[in-house]
Amino acid sequence: FIVFQGVNWNSTAERASLVLPGATHAEKDGTFTNFEGRIQRFKQAFVPLEEARADTEILKQLAAKLGHPVSYLDPETIFIEWQGIGYDEIDEYGMMVGSAPALQA
């Protein structure tokens, strides 16, 4: 049984028993960490195509179907738990990993 969750149709998706179409970075909100360790914010620019969903939405729907609903799974709430700050505290240049209050010793 193969489950494929991704944004591009490929040979794995063709062989999959279940395909969970994911949204691209342009179709969701979130953050990424670059090679320097700088956390940068990205914002949704487009509505996801057809049945595509953000990764967090896919996980939330799967959890509910499996009888383990979660009260939240939005990117900013996860980021707040991880870094201790909200998206509004990341400037246009981002911030270095470890510079947020939650990660300072």
Side-chain angles (χ1 to χ4, degrees):
F1 188 80
I2 298 172
V3 177
F4 174 81
Q5 193 268 311
V7 299
N8 296 315
W9 192 258
N10 58 36
S11 61
T12 304
E14 288 179 13
R15 291 188 204 108
S17 305
L18 176 62
V19 174
L20 303 172
T24 68
H25 68 283
E27 298 170 324
K28 58 188 174 184
D29 286 326
T31 60
F32 69 93
T33 304
N34 74 10
F35 72 99
E36 294 177 311
R38 182 172 301 280
I39 300 167
Q40 294 177 284
R41 172 97 167 87
F42 59 89
K43 297 178 183 178
Q44 182 179 16
F46 306 103
V47 175
L49 295 175
E50 300 177 14
E51 297 179 22
R53 302 282 181 270
D55 306 310
T56 52
E57 189 60 34
I58 291 170
L59 289 172
K60 191 174 188 175
Q61 290 176 357
L62 280 173
K65 294 263 187 205
L66 294 171
H68 301 285
V70 292
S71 59
Y72 70 88
L73 248 180
D74 66 273
E76 185 169 16
T77 303
I78 293 168
F79 186 77
I80 289 169
E81 285 202 10
W82 176 55
Q83 287 290 329
I85 62 169
Y87 284 167
D88 58 338
E89 296 179 61
I90 302 172
D91 68 23
E92 64 182 297
Y93 303 106
M95 61 182 286
M96 294 302 292
V97 170
S99 62
L103 297 181
Q104 293 177 353

